Amino acid sequence: MRQILRFFYFLFFVFCNFVFKWKIRSAKAKPRRAICKVYVSSIERENSEMEKIEHTTVATNGINMHVASIGTGPVVLFLPGFPELWYSWRHQLLYLSSLGYRCIAPDLRGYGDTDAPPSPASYTAFHIVGDLVALLDQLCIEQVFLVGHDWGAMIAWYFCWFRPDRIKAVINLSVPFFPRNPTSDLGEGFRASFGDDYYFCRFQEHGEAEEDFACVDTATLMKKFFSIFGPNPPRIPKEVGIRGLPTPDALPSWLSEEDINYYATKFMQTGFTGGLNYYRVSHLNWELTAPWTGLQIKVPAKFIVGDQDLVYNIPGVKEYISSGGFKRDVPCLEDVVVMEGVFHFINQEKADEVSAHIYEFIKKF
C-alpha cells in the first residue's frame, strides 16, 4: 500500500513540476509575442500611410513628370539623387505631412515614371530647374521649402542660384554648395584626384556604364549601389566592372527587400541612361553657368551630412565646410549638422532624425 502511495506522490510531483515550468515559459514568451505584434502593426501602419500618397502626372517643360504628394499646408519640395526616386523621400513625406505640410516628391527627368530624353544635352541644370519651375507653375505654387539629396542637392543649389524668388529656404543633404571653379569642372577635378576608375569618371562614356550594369541582376545592382557609397572613393575598374564590387550579405536595417524590389522594378523599366546623364552633362553645366561665377547662394540654408559620406570625405570638403568657405559662399547658411557613423543615403538611413532636422528648420519661417 505504501509503495502505491509513494508512486502516486511521485506522479503528482512530476505533474506539478511540469505545470510550473510551463507557466514560466509562457510568461517569458508573452513579451516576445507582444513585441512581434507591435513590429507587425508598425509595418502595417506605415504601409497604410503610404497608400495615402497620391501619384499624378504633370506636363511640365516639354516632358511628363511623375509626382508623389501628400498633405496640405506650406509646400516642401523634395529632390532625389542617384540612383533614387521619389520613393527615397517616403519617410519624410509621411512625417512632415502629419505636421501640416504639403509634401511633393517628383521623379526627376530621366527617372522612374517621368520621361527620359536620351541625349545628355537634355539634362543640363537649366532643363532640370526649368522642369521644377514649370511644375510649381502648373500646381499654382509660388514658393517652396526645398530639400535635396545627392544630385537632388546639386539641382537644389542650382535652383537657388537661378530662381531664389521661388525658394523660402533650402535644406540639402550630403552635397554642399560647390562654387564654380573658373578653370575646371567637377569631372576634371575628380579625374585628377582619383583617376579614371572613379565612379563619376567611369559614368561619362555614353552606353559604357549601361552595358556594364546589364551584366548584373538589377536587384543585386541596387544592393551594390546602396552599399558602396562609403567614405572611400568608389572606384569601378574597367577590367572588372560593376561585377567586381561586393554585394552585401545582408541589407542594412534601413532598407528592406521590398524597397530594393521597388527600385529594381522601376530601373528595369527605364534603364539607367537618364540618371547617368546627370554625370555626363557636368562639363556642359560648367560651360553654361559661367555668368554665375562668384555668385553667392542667398537663400536661408541648412546642411546635413554623415561623417562617413563619400562627398564629405573628398579631400578638402571637410575643411571647406568647417573653415568658413561654405558660409562665405552661402552667407545665409544657418546650420550644419554632421551625423556620426552615418553614410551617404542619410535620408533613408536616419529617416526620423533627418525629418526632425528638416522640421526644426522650416517651422521658423
Side-chain angles (χ1 to χ4, degrees):
M1 185 69 178
R2 288 181 181 178
Q3 290 179 341
I4 294 174
L5 289 174
R6 284 179 187 148
F7 176 75
F8 279 110
Y9 283 142
F10 173 76
L11 289 178
F12 180 75
F13 172 80
V14 171
F15 175 77
C16 291
N17 188 53
F18 171 81
V19 171
F20 178 74
K21 289 182 178 180
W22 178 79
K23 287 188 174 182
I24 289 177
R25 285 197 300 268
S26 299
K28 289 181 178 179
K30 285 181 180 178
R32 293 179 184 175
R33 287 198 295 270
I35 292 171
C36 183
K37 288 179 180 178
V38 170
Y39 177 68
V40 171
S41 65
S42 67
I43 293 175
E44 291 174 346
R45 184 166 58 252
E46 181 169 315
N47 289 339
S48 176
E49 291 298 308
M50 286 285 286
E51 293 175 359
K52 297 179 182 178
I53 296 175
E54 298 179 356
H55 296 270
T56 56
T57 300
V58 179
T60 169
N61 196 27
I63 65 169
N64 293 312
M65 175 173 278
H66 166 248
V67 178
S69 62
I70 184 172
T72 58
V75 179
V76 187
L77 178 62
F78 295 92
L79 308 182
F82 180 89
E84 300 176 285
L85 306 163
W86 75 268
Y87 188 82
S88 301
W89 296 107
R90 58 197 180 281
H91 306 294
Q92 287 75 32
L93 291 175
L94 299 180
Y95 184 99
L96 290 168
S97 64
S98 72
L99 295 174
Y101 290 89
R102 181 183 179 187
C103 298
I104 299 174
D107 285 335
L108 294 180
R109 175 183 291 237
Y111 285 95
D113 295 316
T114 293
D115 288 348
S119 171
S122 298
Y123 289 79
T124 71
F126 295 99
H127 286 87
I128 311 302
V129 173
D131 295 344
L132 297 170
V133 171
L135 173 65
L136 298 185
D137 290 343
Q138 287 288 335
L139 299 178
C140 299
I141 298 169
E142 185 61 31
Q143 283 191 317
V144 297
F145 294 109
L146 189 60
V147 185
H149 173 252
D150 189 77
W151 269 110
M154 290 285 286
I155 296 302
W157 293 125
Y158 281 126
F159 202 155
C160 294
W161 238 12
F162 303 157
R163 293 299 304 271
D165 58 305
R166 307 301 294 266
I167 312 300
K168 293 180 182 178
V170 62
I171 304 94
N172 269 334
L173 281 57
S174 297
V175 181
F177 174 66
F178 292 120
R180 183 182 182 275
N181 184 335
T183 61
S184 64
D185 66 25
L186 273 178
E188 292 168 344
F190 288 143
R191 196 178 300 276
S193 297
F194 304 120
D196 293 340
D197 289 341
Y198 189 63
Y199 81 102
F200 195 104
C201 304
R202 289 279 288 111
F203 289 171
Q204 293 299 313
E205 188 66 33
H206 187 79
E208 188 174 286
E210 290 92 328
E211 185 177 346
D212 185 24
F213 294 172
C215 297
V216 179
D217 171 74
T218 308
T220 300
L221 188 61
M222 300 311 299
K223 293 177 183 179
K224 289 176 181 284
F225 280 146
F226 283 118
S227 64
I228 66 172
F229 290 104
N232 299 318
R235 290 186 170 90
I236 308 175
K238 193 169 185 177
E239 58 272 17
V240 297
I242 200 73
R243 287 171 294 181
L245 296 178
T247 302
D249 294 329
L251 292 175
S253 60
W254 51 269
L255 197 63
S256 69
E257 290 289 346
E258 182 182 5
D259 300 331
I260 288 292
N261 289 337
Y262 184 88
Y263 288 114
T265 298
K266 294 301 179 182
F267 280 105
M268 282 191 288
Q269 293 171 358
T270 64
F272 289 90
T273 297
L276 292 168
N277 280 341
Y278 285 71
Y279 297 90
R280 292 165 181 162
V281 79
S282 61
H283 183 77
L284 183 56
N285 276 334
W286 177 78
E287 291 180 338
L288 294 174
T289 55
W292 282 264
T293 302
L295 188 68
Q296 296 172 313
I297 298 289
K298 294 186 177 179
V299 170
K302 180 171 184 170
F303 180 66
I304 308 171
V305 68
D307 68 353
Q308 301 299 302
D309 192 298
L310 81 159
V311 181
Y312 188 64
N313 285 278
I314 292 173
V317 170
K318 292 179 186 178
E319 294 74 17
Y320 169 69
I321 292 172
S322 62
S323 67
F326 193 11
K327 178 68 173 178
R328 178 197 63 229
D329 296 326
V330 187
C332 297
L333 179 66
E334 296 186 18
D335 193 16
V336 172
V337 177
V338 180
M339 293 187 178
E340 293 185 4
V342 180
F343 291 77
H344 183 65
F345 296 98
I346 190 171
N347 51 330
Q348 298 181 80
E349 183 178 350
K350 293 294 180 183
D352 290 343
E353 292 90 331
V354 167
S355 297
H357 276 300
I358 294 170
Y359 175 65
E360 288 301 316
F361 186 61
I362 65 177
K363 75 178 184 179
K364 300 186 297 185
F365 296 92

